[in-house]
Amino acid sequence: AQSVTQPDIHITVSEGASLELRCNYSYGATPYLFWYVQSPGQGLQLLLKYFSGDTLVQGIKGFEAEFKRSQSSFNLRKPSVHWSDAAEYFCAVGAREYGNKLVFGAGTILRVKS
Amino acid sequence: DTAVSQTPKYLVTQMGNDKSIKCEQNLGHDTMYWYKQDSKKFLKIMFSYNNKELIINETVPNRFSPKSPDKAHLNLHINSLELGDSAVYFCASSQGDGFSNEQFFGPGTRLTVL
């Protein structure tokens, strides 16, 4: 069965430091890969998406993600974190073979310390 | 203008009651979804509608009944509420399929069953 793993439940970084959030997936098909962000009390907002082409994808708010097929990973990165980036981040995977839906990881809560 | 709106934002009720949550999107999308986010923030799809037709029903108890009067609305009715139904319920929409296109999320409805 398809699954999405975000191994880090919480991550704390200092403002201005770099960030990497991990995501691994288990799919037999070529998946569509997404990162969403959820600020407290809000719905989810798309940061970026990958399906094909350049394996380094740029998103909104200065985020990027790299697809590594050999590692079944789609890690999210940001060179310099701002206090406003504190939120929960969800990796999600979709594939035609598994129906008209996304499967979400459990999320990673990002805390930013000043 | 709010793209995906849900009412109410908070819902506190007693076990055994029946309640409804409403969702409306003004994006002109043809597909709408209901997700449940439990206390551990795990986000799982419940239902998906495309052009008012049910296309995903993810083994949700019969007490949950979605209704889509038109493409822009997807309501969720819950009968005989149980303690385990306490969660945040998110409505979302997309244009086209739900595995490759961006989904736009509402702000969520926090349901508390006492």
Side-chain angles (χ1 to χ4, degrees):
Chain A
Q2 62 273 33
S3 67
V4 183
T5 303
Q6 292 181 245
D8 303 305
I9 299 174
H10 296 99
I11 281 188
T12 301
V13 299
S14 298
E15 193 169 13
S18 64
L19 169 70
E20 182 168 30
L21 303 182
R22 296 182 290 165
C23 174
N24 292 94
Y25 62 91
S26 171
Y27 265 75
T30 302
Y32 290 82
L33 299 161
F34 303 80
W35 275 100
Y36 282 84
V37 60
Q38 183 181 22
S39 298
Q42 304 292 319
L44 280 71
Q45 180 186 22
L46 181 70
L47 285 175
L48 46 77
K49 161 188 164 182
Y50 173 80
F51 175 58
S52 64
D54 192 346
T55 56
L56 187 62
V57 181
Q58 302 298 320
I60 62 170
K61 305 185 182 189
F63 284 92
E64 64 180 27
E66 186 171 14
F67 170 61
K68 292 187 178 179
R69 186 185 300 277
S70 61
Q71 297 176 20
S72 296
S73 70
F74 188 55
N75 294 348
L76 182 71
R77 301 196 294 243
K78 187 168 184 178
S80 176
V81 167
H82 188 262
W83 64 266
S84 60
D85 294 324
E88 186 151 16
Y89 292 80
F90 292 91
C91 180
V93 182
R96 184 184 302 277
E97 292 79 359
Y98 296 111
N100 190 40
K101 64 181 182 181
L102 292 179
V103 175
F104 284 84
T108 297
I109 296 172
L110 172 65
R111 297 191 180 111
V112 180
K113 58 182 182 180
S114 54
Chain B
D1 263 352
T2 304
V4 183
S5 59
Q6 296 177 228
T7 53
K9 192 167 175 61
Y10 299 96
L11 189 51
V12 181
T13 188
Q14 299 288 331
M15 246 183 354
N17 284 351
D18 303 338
K19 290 293 177 186
S20 291
I21 306 172
K22 295 186 176 182
C23 176
E24 177 181 1
Q25 55 96 2
N26 63 7
L27 298 167
H29 289 167
D30 59 4
T31 308
M32 296 185 72
Y33 314 82
W34 277 111
Y35 287 87
K36 179 180 181 181
Q37 186 176 48
D38 62 25
S39 56
K40 294 184 179 179
K41 295 296 191 77
F42 187 62
L43 196 65
K44 191 169 178 358
I45 191 165
M46 301 172 68
F47 301 103
S48 172
Y49 270 74
N50 178 264
N51 283 317
K52 303 195 299 175
E53 265 193 57
L54 180 66
I55 53 174
I56 290 179
N57 182 341
E58 287 284 302
T59 59
V60 177
N62 290 339
R63 299 182 294 103
F64 290 79
S65 53
K67 284 192 172 46
S68 182
D70 56 57
K71 264 186 9 175
H73 296 85
L74 179 62
N75 303 324
L76 183 65
H77 187 75
I78 315 170
N79 290 325
S80 304
L81 278 155
E82 299 178 357
L83 293 177
D85 297 331
S86 295
V88 181
Y89 292 84
F90 286 99
C91 177
S93 72
S94 69
Q95 180 56 35
D97 67 70
F99 64 86
S100 67
N101 294 297
E102 178 180 1
Q103 293 186 24
F104 291 77
F105 286 78
T109 296
R110 181 175 294 278
L111 171 64
T112 303
V113 182
L114 304 174

